[in-house]
Amino acid sequence: MFKYLKMFEPLVDALAETFGSNCEVVLHDLSKPDHSIIKIANNHLTGRDTGGPATDFVLTLLNKKNSKKDFFVGYPTKTKKG
């Protein structure tokens, strides 16, 4: 699976550049939730880095069995710094 996800890495940078420095963009390999981050842009917002885990929020979404979508966008959140 990882080799297919690698082709999306340039999209992470493109989205981050499009939405600006206040938008963190993360590409996860969810087959490895404890080390799922394979690419991250604007990580100055949360301090997360490549090799980091999926958040509790992501894990909660994965456990929803009746979801009609395989993606989730536009959710507000706050960092530890507010």
Side-chain angles (χ1 to χ4, degrees):
M1 164 103 44
F2 183 73
K3 68 180 180 178
Y4 297 109
L5 290 173
K6 295 277 295 172
M7 70 182 179
F8 291 101
E9 287 186 4
L11 186 58
V12 171
D13 294 325
L15 287 169
E17 213 171 297
T18 299
F19 292 107
S21 63
N22 288 323
C23 179
E24 185 177 81
V25 181
V26 185
L27 178 63
H28 288 277
D29 176 355
L30 296 174
S31 69
K32 302 172 188 173
D34 290 336
H35 307 284
S36 68
I37 299 175
I38 58 174
K39 176 77 175 177
I40 188 166
N42 294 329
N43 64 329
H44 63 277
L45 295 168
T46 63
R48 298 186 297 166
D49 211 347
T50 302
T55 63
D56 290 339
F57 179 72
V58 169
L59 296 175
T60 298
L61 288 177
L62 284 176
N63 289 326
K64 291 192 181 228
K65 304 208 184 304
N66 296 324
S67 178
K68 294 182 182 183
K69 299 186 293 185
D70 59 357
F71 60 91
F72 193 82
V73 298
Y75 62 92
T77 190
K78 286 189 178 184
T79 65
K80 291 179 184 178
K81 295 179 182 178

